Amino acid sequence: ASDDDLCRIDFAVDSYYPRDVPYLDAYLFEIGTRTDPRSLSYDALIEHSKEVRHTRINGWLVSGHMFNRASFDPILDSRGKRYLFLLRAPKVKTGGTTILLVSPEERYEQGRFFFNGEQQEGDLAFRALYAKSRLQIMRQLVERLVLYKPFLFSIPAIYAIVVAMYLPIFKMGSVI
């Protein structure tokens, strides 16, 4: 993980039929060995990992041809740790299909893609997301707001002044 507070993995699904798969189980395991995960088999990865998060995703909420989310409580000290993301469809009906979106090329050089415990070429299309405090979100919003603005409006403090001037007017309007 590149940062602390890992809280969501988005994974892409190419096509999906909820009648075939009523739910998906998403697991996040912390890899507990210093050995390079690329040199380990699937069974060895599972053996050297411990489950840190699990979530069940309702099959009717999974959408084909887009990213779907596996959200969980933030992992406060996730920075620098290695994780195994595992998706299971334990109730697949006979002949049912779930097709994950996989890149035919190696896009994530530090990872490996397994299907039914067998290593496959390419990588799962996914992205990791991290929780941010409200202050971080506001700071990022203001930084984006002032980006490429004329001089006066490129100063973040100007927006704070405008909001401070607007609040008393807003309060008076709600009293009337």
Side-chain angles (χ1 to χ4, degrees):
S2 62
D3 210 345
D4 286 329
D5 299 320
L6 177 64
C7 67
R8 192 170 105 196
I9 304 280
D10 289 354
F11 58 96
V13 173
D14 188 20
S15 62
Y16 185 82
Y17 303 100
R19 286 183 180 85
D20 295 340
V21 185
Y23 63 88
L24 294 173
D25 281 325
Y27 299 88
L28 195 64
F29 291 87
E30 183 178 331
I31 300 172
T33 179
R34 293 285 175 214
T35 305
D36 185 352
R38 293 173 290 182
S39 66
L40 297 174
S41 68
Y42 176 78
D43 292 332
L45 277 171
I46 294 294
E47 181 182 324
H48 291 96
S49 300
K50 71 174 184 172
E51 181 182 323
V52 291
R53 297 290 186 270
H54 169 252
T55 188
R56 179 162 283 172
I57 303 163
N58 183 333
W60 291 99
L61 299 178
V62 174
S63 300
H65 308 291
M66 62 187 309
F67 278 95
N68 293 271
R69 62 177 62 175
S71 299
F72 39 84
D73 292 335
I75 300 171
L76 302 177
D77 60 344
S78 58
R79 183 190 310 262
K81 293 184 178 176
R82 298 177 298 179
Y83 293 95
L84 170 67
F85 179 63
L86 177 65
L87 280 174
R88 285 195 175 142
K91 297 283 185 179
V92 175
K93 292 182 181 174
T94 303
T97 59
T98 298
I99 301 173
L100 297 173
L101 188 60
V102 177
S103 168
E105 301 173 11
E106 293 289 329
R107 302 220 181 250
Y108 182 63
E109 65 186 48
Q110 298 170 339
R112 296 175 58 200
F113 175 62
F114 295 95
F115 184 78
N116 286 337
E118 298 294 324
Q119 185 175 352
Q120 306 293 315
E121 293 297 319
D123 279 325
L124 175 67
F126 77 97
R127 58 186 173 215
L129 291 109
Y130 303 88
K132 293 183 178 180
S133 70
R134 289 191 174 134
L135 180 61
Q136 290 173 316
I137 293 169
M138 290 301 294
R139 184 177 296 133
Q140 189 176 28
L141 177 69
V142 170
E143 287 172 359
R144 288 181 180 176
L145 190 64
V146 301
L147 194 62
Y148 306 119
K149 299 287 190 279
F151 171 71
L152 186 60
F153 295 103
S154 67
I155 302 169
I158 295 297
Y159 292 95
I161 292 168
V162 169
V163 168
M165 289 173 32
Y166 175 74
L167 284 176
I169 295 169
F170 179 71
K171 286 183 180 180
M172 285 191 318
S174 64
V175 173
I176 296 175

